[in-house]
Amino acid sequence: MFEQKQINEVLDELDVNHLNGLSEKEAKARLEKYGPNAFQETKPKTKLQMFLSQLRDPMIYILIGAVLISAFLKEFGDAIIIMAVILLNAIIGMVQESKAEKSLEALKKLSSPTAMVRRDGVTVEIPAADLVIGDIVLLEAGRIIPADLRLINTIDMKVEESALTGESVPVQKDANFIANGEITLGDRLNMAYLSTNVSYGRGEGVVVKTGMNTEIGKIAKMINESVDELTPLQKRLGELGKILGILAIILCVLLFAVALFQGRDVMTMLLTAIALAVAAIPEGLPAVVTIVLALGVQRMVKVNTIIRKLPAVETLGSVSIVCSDKTGTLTQNKMTVTKFYINESLQQISKLDYDTHKLLVDGFVLCTDSYIEGTSRFGDPTELALLDMGALVNVTKQSLETSYPRINEKAFDSDRKMMTTVHQTPSGKLISYTKGAMDRIIGECDKIIIDGKIRPITDADKKKIQVAAKEMASLALRVLALAVKFDDNSAEEKHLIFVGLVGMIDPPRPEAAAAVEKFKGAGVSTVMITGDHIDTAFAIAKELGIAEREEQCITGSELSQMTQEELNAAAPNLRVFARVSPENKVMIVNAFKSHGHIVSMTGDGVNDAPSLKTADIGVAMGITGTDVAKGAADMVLTDDNFATIENAIEEGRNIYNNIRKSVFFLLSSNLGEIFTMFIAIVAGLASPLKAIHILWVNLITDSLPGLALGVDSGDPEIMKTPPRNPKDSLFANGGLAIIVFFGFVIGVITLTAFLSTPVITLMEAEQSITLANIKLMLMDEGIYIQSQTYAFTVLAISQLFNAIGMRNLNLSIFRYNHLENRMMIIAFLVGILLQVAVTEIPILTELFGTMELSLTEWLKLVALSTAPLWFHELFIFIKFIKKKTA
């Protein structure tokens, strides 16, 4: 709005005299009316709120019910253990969630702490928070803009806006510019925005917006309003929890119906119902998945990736679109000279030779106001690129100025589009260098120097220069020209001698093209989103292999005319989005998400924060990235390397596969428990397992192998396959059949172990083996305890063997490299030792209601427990035969 108005109109509207500024009295009144120049903060969740939110889960509701019933029946041991399980899961979830978002804090830090203003005709420095609408702010190089300003005076002022707009070079500001209608942020030459900084020149501006009403404030609000969506894994585990919760309730109802039909004791059946409910719920699953993801985070660190939110590890594996900011992400965020034209020849910068091209190098290095000291760089990025060009041939500005001191100059301004410096040579002669826009320089040249010889410039010369400049412009290079003048200390820009041209660009990262190509092989598309101009964006995109045709490009102004639905329809054919605003970026991400894609957004600027948060995976750059971008992101690349995303996606895919193996293992174990309990109860037998047995197996015996599966080595071929369909369930591709089959095997052998003692006793007594006789045998307390101990032991040990088989359902265990997963070996041995402990240590046998076992009994039970492995081998053999006969 203000960019479309004359300076006097703005000052009149804001009721301020720019020479005197506001009075202190008026400023105080406006501060009370509009509030401080600061961001509103959202109230963070308390630790208690985070803790309670972890309890809103169907599986937890079932367990809470089990606690209450156990306590009512005075089974306090069971109640305490189940309650401990609930609290453990809630604490793990709370710790994960307590990694609170830092976006708004970072945005606050971006606000300039002080501002130079004119009040009551006097220049004073005040806290930026005290700025009000109508304040006249004084700006100079190095100052951070303290609010949104309508510029009222500019003197060669350039503002670095890349963090806000994505523009890779500072913008030349012009207070007298008037916008004709709506234009993008990057084109508002008469405006300066909060958090950007003055890189050159000076000026004055009147505050038009403060706090949450600034452009940065709008971004803060967008970050605040973004909804944190559940990742695919969270959604599936949530659905699984509901299914298992419903299953537990159905089983308990069926159990009661059977109990009433059989005339059983209600209190006994309540205890059995608790055991069955506990069997239906994989208590260790949330902890195992969380810990596997946490271990995945450690693996990510090795590929230069810091994960801020655990579920992002899994989500990476299903990413199908990588939306990347151009400046600083696909490119180096550093203007670099890539071509030069001299002596009628356009060449790559690698061909630059100081002896041959001395005049070109000296001129472009000396005719600058920027400088480099060690690793510190000061000044305009365009001039810094010229200094870097000198460094390529071991020439520095400091060394040249020692030999060629500056004695006069004519500063750059936006009207002339030129800059001139005059120097004294070591021999005492004078030489002036003029650099600037090619058309302006050529217009002032009447001579040209070629191979050291000066002659009048001809139309043919000018045409060759223009052809070279056009070729560079076609590659989106920014072209600068250089001319000289001898024996004149006036810095007058007339009758110049043309020397040459240079072309510069913010170049692509060397590794980015290879990463884009790898993404194509993995079925992942790369999309460029930038605040830069469309020709520059397309040139970089074409070089990287992101886009092939200009029709795949669109500008922010075109986007602003489209509805979200129109963009959704057009998105599949678009690969480059140029001159976009933060709002446009969010629209773009949503457009790709509307096609069912899992979208990753990479970026480093403030302008990227809302889209980083909206995307399924937000990826920020760790070195050049702003705190705001890091705060809004799910993960941060510590090396700012676009190619690191490819490694992260590969890790994400492997981690998801490992989680899937863990889920298969845990659920097949739970199904074995359900099968054991339900068949026994329906048959009218006593309960084969106590609730505490099942909890022990689910939490202690199963958790370590589950974790071991979660850290299994990755599949080397995984990046040659397309991303996983986000709509596929955890049990896709035969997963459910695997769970049911191995659950059935575990159930059968557990029941076999449970019934072995009464059956053998009946056989020894030469009595018939009938259901009624088995029931009678189990009424004997000694036989019942022994039977439960056998069932408990086989259930626990068989699941350890089951975990070994689950490592790879396409390979025989005799072809495994077992040392590849040493944690599985440790988990197996620890599981055996723990199970021995609950049958051999008196205090534990009393707590678990078990009995000591002899070595012979142990050998028989372990032999029975190996059944899942033999069925695993049978499974592999059948697959092999099918493959052979196919």
Side-chain angles (χ1 to χ4, degrees), residues 176-232:
N176 296 315
F177 170 81
I178 304 295
N180 183 18
E182 282 292 324
I183 54 175
T184 60
L185 287 179
D187 295 322
R188 297 174 189 173
L189 305 183
N190 55 7
M191 299 291 293
Y193 296 104
L194 172 65
S195 89
T196 60
N197 60 83
V198 182
S199 63
Y200 193 85
R202 62 185 189 274
E204 294 179 7
V206 58
V207 176
V208 293
K209 289 180 182 178
T210 59
M212 294 299 287
N213 294 319
T214 61
E215 293 299 326
I216 290 287
K218 290 177 186 176
I219 293 174
K221 189 177 180 185
M222 289 167 68
I223 294 172
N224 242 358
E225 291 174 351
S226 294
V227 178
D228 284 327
E229 289 189 19
L230 295 175
T231 70

Side-chain angles (χ1 to χ4, degrees), residues 54-65 86 89 281:
Q54 308 304 317
L55 302 179
R56 299 191 197 106
D57 185 282
M59 291 196 291
I60 299 298
Y61 298 154
I62 302 295
L63 291 178
I64 290 172
I86 295 169
N89 281 332
I281 296 170

